[in-house]
Amino acid sequence: MIRKVLFMLFFSLTIVSPLYSFQDDAVEPEEESRFLIIHLDGVSSEHFIEMLQGGQLPNIEAYFEDDDIINHAITYFPSKTPNVITSIKKAIPPKDSRVPSWHFRNPDPYSITSMPRSFLQMAFSTSRLSVTNLIYGIQGLHWMAGIALQNSADFLSEYPVVQFYWFPTDTQGHFNGEEAYMKEIRRFDRQFGKLVKRLDSKPVNIIIYSDHGIAFGDGLKPDKEIRNLLNEDLEFFSYPVIYLQEGVNPADYAELLLENTELDFIFYLEEAGLVKGLHADGSIRFRYREGRVRCEFSSSDILGYYESGYNGEFLTIDEWLEMTYESRYTGAPVNIFSYLSNPRSGEMIVMFDEGKFYQTPYSKRGNHGGFSHYEMSVPILLKGPALEDFEVKEHFWLPELFMEIKDLDFEGHPSRDSHAVRRLYNFKSGTALTELELSPTYRISYGITLYHDSHIPSFRNHFNVWGKADLFRSYLSRFWIGAALSVEKERNLPIFLIQYDLNVGKLSLETRILTTQKASFHIGYQVNDWLRVETANFNSAGVRLTF
């Protein structure tokens, strides 16, 4: 039975590989069209500008000129990572975001998406190579992010767009506060400097953008008060949004929440095209008409727009961006109205003012999700031959980033993996190994491994014929599964094959396990693009050539 399964697995690779070879996503990137896109999680414009101008980011400062940097890009609201990652590559506007937060309601058909599911949606919206970048955000594993970032340079010859997600900045801010957060931004700068050296002056287009900032200050927990005040009318609360039971009028609870919690702002849709906001010193209204939004207030101009020259006009998104990109509440009218227009939005937006943040077990020292400039304004850095015509302004609308940059092939991959020839010699036993590996298509390889006593390979000795398929790949590792047929004298034996590859810079470790043979491991050093010197099982040495 086992033999039949292994034979079926081996020959299934033969059937599947021609199908892979016709994939439309297979490309060979031209040098000047290669992109390295780095998602720098949780870095606000406020902190970035201060650190850059203060000389704390020397490698970024050396690589990017002033006209390569957009200081104030306005992100999605709510300022949450899954909202950005699942939307930005396809330029999905906030009102159509399919994962607007960690916990949300789907209208048709009705369902609730909780954090585990939204996390998976976010993770698989990244790229195949960068899914494990999320792991490097875990405290204690931050050091792996730097190694993986440097390794990303090696993938630019294979993939038209290499995407990397740097999460440690965000987690340091959440767990350890502002000082640790800024220290992590400086660490990213050092790792970016090492990456630039690895690029070795090759033409590449680099984009670094952040998804949101972080608010620090006093951590507050309004959950209990919200549950007590709303009772059975509350469906669930996911900061900064309250989801009410069907038919409940948010106006019935807005003032009650403002008076009995430490919340500073309450917003809700008062009627079609009209958002009402409450705060301790008065009220605000955002009125929508024909693609434009108007801001009105009573008692106090809490947002400060009128003090800055606003006169109550109906403004477009770009006009609001132009007027408010340096204000305390960047783009609030369009951001809040857009979110409440999303069918997955809740009925009420509740937020803290500057100097406060929503505290959770994960976010002990800082958080985001609100509409202050610390959370909503982020930097974008762009440099490369294909980006010379990109108009760099002081401000930008982040959801439009990849709408402005044309023809980015996020799904592109190599047409095949590398072919290889390996030759190893065991100086103790006098035996040798010769291996030929051929890849007809991406993620599929076939090969033959000959074990022989003389210097000349011969099929009269023991050999394996094998095939393998790549199940997983990241910037650090790769996992293969396959089957082989071992031929030795008159015995033919089917074998199950597992292979794990690990790469750290020029060093590599390849571990191959065959069910009926001794496992082998190869330690290698990459001399150049096509030559790797190796030792196998600490008793053999040789080379591996790729082509």
Side-chain angles (χ1 to χ4, degrees):
M1 179 63 182
I2 295 176
R3 291 190 177 193
K4 289 183 179 179
V5 171
L6 290 170
F7 273 122
M8 288 174 65
L9 178 59
F10 179 77
F11 287 111
S12 69
L13 292 173
T14 307
I15 297 171
V16 170
S17 62
L19 300 178
Y20 274 93
S21 65
F22 291 105
Q23 295 180 91
D24 293 335
D25 295 332
V27 295
E28 300 297 335
E30 297 178 5
E31 279 200 344
E32 293 192 356
S33 65
R34 298 178 304 176
F35 278 82
L36 173 57
I37 299 174
I38 302 173
H39 170 112
L40 181 58
D41 205 84
V43 176
S44 68
S45 295
E46 192 87 12
H47 288 95
F48 177 79
I49 294 169
E50 176 187 337
M51 296 178 72
L52 187 66
Q53 293 178 348
Q56 298 184 59
L57 306 176
N59 294 291
I60 289 175
E61 185 177 6
Y63 189 82
F64 293 97
E65 305 291 338
D66 288 344
D67 56 1
D68 297 327
I69 301 174
I70 298 172
N71 285 318
H72 300 277
I74 311 309
T75 189
Y76 287 74
F77 181 84
S79 48
K80 300 280 190 176
T81 300
N83 195 8
V84 179
I85 288 181
T86 59
S87 301
I88 190 169
K89 288 194 292 187
K90 296 181 179 180
I92 298 172
K95 67 181 182 64
D96 297 323
S97 174
R98 300 189 64 82
V99 189
S101 190
W102 291 111
H103 192 188
F104 59 94
R105 178 202 298 140
N106 298 287
D108 188 22
Y110 172 86
S111 65
I112 301 296
T113 295
S114 59
M115 180 176 282
R117 184 177 172 188
S118 59
F119 179 87
L120 290 174
Q121 287 179 281
M122 177 185 73
F124 291 103
S125 294
T126 55
S127 73
R128 184 170 184 266
L129 295 172
S130 57
V131 170
T132 53
N133 290 172
L134 288 156
I135 297 172
Y136 313 147
I138 299 173
Q139 294 203 91
L141 300 179
H142 291 177
W143 59 274
M144 297 177 68
I147 300 172
L149 178 64
Q150 293 171 49
N151 276 6
S152 68
D154 298 332
F155 290 78
L156 287 165
S157 60
E158 301 179 57
Y159 295 82
V161 178
V162 173
Q163 305 164 64
F164 193 92
Y165 294 79
W166 185 281
F167 291 105
T169 38
D170 181 72
T171 51
Q172 283 287 23
H174 282 301
F175 280 101
N176 300 315
E178 190 168 15
E179 186 176 338
Y181 165 76
M182 295 176 71
K183 182 179 179 180
E184 184 60 35
I185 298 174
R186 290 192 291 270
R187 191 173 79 89
F188 170 78
D189 176 76
R190 292 194 298 273
Q191 297 299 330
F192 178 75
K194 294 177 182 179
L195 169 67
V196 171
K197 291 179 182 177
R198 285 281 293 274
L199 293 173
D200 195 26
S201 301
K202 295 177 182 176
V204 60
N205 303 285
I206 296 183
I207 300 172
I208 302 176
Y209 74 91
S210 187
D211 57 339
H212 58 75
I214 295 185
F216 299 101
D218 297 328
L220 301 173
K221 305 174 184 177
D223 304 59
K224 184 176 180 180
E225 290 86 350
I226 290 173
R227 287 195 301 270
N228 290 339
L229 290 168
L230 273 63
N231 293 310
E232 294 180 357
D233 287 340
L234 174 68
E235 185 171 17
F236 60 90
F237 171 52
S238 177
Y239 186 82
V241 182
I242 291 175
Y243 287 80
L244 298 172
Q245 297 289 353
E246 186 177 0
V248 177
N249 186 353
D252 295 341
Y253 287 104
E255 291 189 10
L256 191 66
L257 287 167
L258 195 64
E259 293 170 0
N260 293 279
T261 69
E262 295 182 274
L263 293 164
D264 295 303
F265 293 94
I266 315 288
F267 290 95
Y268 60 93
L269 198 63
E270 189 172 40
E271 59 183 61
L274 180 63
V275 171
K276 183 175 181 178
L278 298 179
H279 57 92
D281 297 322
S283 64
I284 314 163
R285 281 183 170 82
F286 303 141
R287 197 177 298 274
Y288 178 85
R289 187 180 70 189
E290 297 177 355
R292 296 170 181 263
V293 180
R294 174 183 177 180
C295 177
E296 307 166 358
F297 74 91
S298 66
S299 301
S300 172
D301 179 23
I302 188 68
L303 301 182
Y305 297 155
Y306 284 81
E307 293 177 7
S308 301
Y310 176 65
N311 294 309
E313 313 96 308
F314 281 89
L315 301 179
T316 65
I317 289 177
D318 291 337
E319 289 168 339
W320 274 115
L321 181 62
E322 172 73 28
M323 172 172 286
T324 67
Y325 72 89
E326 289 186 300
S327 74
R328 290 174 61 195
Y329 307 102
T330 307
V334 291
N335 276 315
I336 290 174
F337 187 86
S338 293
Y339 172 73
L340 288 172
S341 301
N342 189 316
R344 293 170 179 80
S345 72
E347 285 67 45
M348 304 178 76
I349 299 172
V350 296
M351 291 179 290
F352 297 114
D353 206 348
E354 290 182 5
K356 306 175 186 178
F357 68 90
Y358 175 61
Q359 191 174 54
T360 70
Y362 178 82
S363 304
K364 296 179 179 179
R365 303 288 300 277
N367 207 346
H368 48 89
F371 73 153
S372 74
H373 66 118
Y374 286 105
E375 299 158 277
M376 293 295 298
S377 182
V378 297
I380 302 176
L381 299 85
L382 313 95
K383 183 175 182 178
L387 295 168
E388 292 178 355
D389 295 332
F390 188 94
E391 184 182 359
V392 174
K393 300 181 289 186
E394 185 66 13
H395 52 82
F396 192 80
W397 185 237
L398 184 65
E400 296 179 354
L401 176 60
F402 298 122
M403 183 188 302
E404 293 289 324
I405 303 169
K406 306 296 184 184
D407 302 323
L408 282 175
D409 186 3
F410 287 106
E411 305 301 324
H413 56 71
S415 58
R416 63 169 176 84
D417 287 290
S418 296
H419 304 317
V421 175
R422 171 181 278 149
R423 174 74 170 184
L424 297 170
Y425 183 74
N426 188 317
F427 295 98
K428 184 177 181 180
S429 66
T431 57
L433 177 151
T434 302
E435 182 173 271
L436 173 65
E437 179 176 344
L438 299 174
S439 173
T441 189
Y442 178 56
R443 298 173 61 185
I444 298 290
S445 288
Y446 296 103
I448 182 168
T449 306
L450 286 81
Y451 306 89
H452 45 97
D453 297 329
S454 64
H455 292 287
I456 301 174
S458 171
F459 286 94
R460 289 176 298 178
N461 298 294
H462 174 204
F463 66 90
N464 293 338
V465 181
W466 48 264
K468 61 182 181 179
D470 157 18
L471 293 186
F472 166 82
R473 193 179 191 187
S474 73
Y475 294 114
L476 292 177
S477 59
R478 197 169 191 181
F479 180 76
W480 303 82
I481 189 171
L485 182 64
S486 178
V487 180
E488 186 174 7
K489 296 181 179 179
E490 296 181 357
R491 185 177 64 169
N492 299 333
L493 185 65
I495 300 173
F496 186 64
L497 179 153
I498 296 175
Q499 181 176 317
Y500 178 76
D501 303 334
L502 176 66
N503 293 280
V504 178
K506 293 182 179 295
L507 296 176
S508 64
L509 172 65
E510 176 189 304
T511 302
R512 187 180 295 179
I513 299 173
L514 301 169
T515 50
T516 61
Q517 296 180 11
K518 184 179 178 181
S520 65
F521 60 92
H522 300 247
I523 298 174
Y525 179 82
Q526 197 72 37
V527 178
N528 53 39
D529 290 342
W530 53 271
L531 173 62
R532 186 167 81 195
V533 294
E534 292 186 338
T535 178
N537 299 331
F538 298 114
N539 59 24
S540 302
V543 297
R544 185 175 187 267
L545 309 177
T546 57
F547 57 97

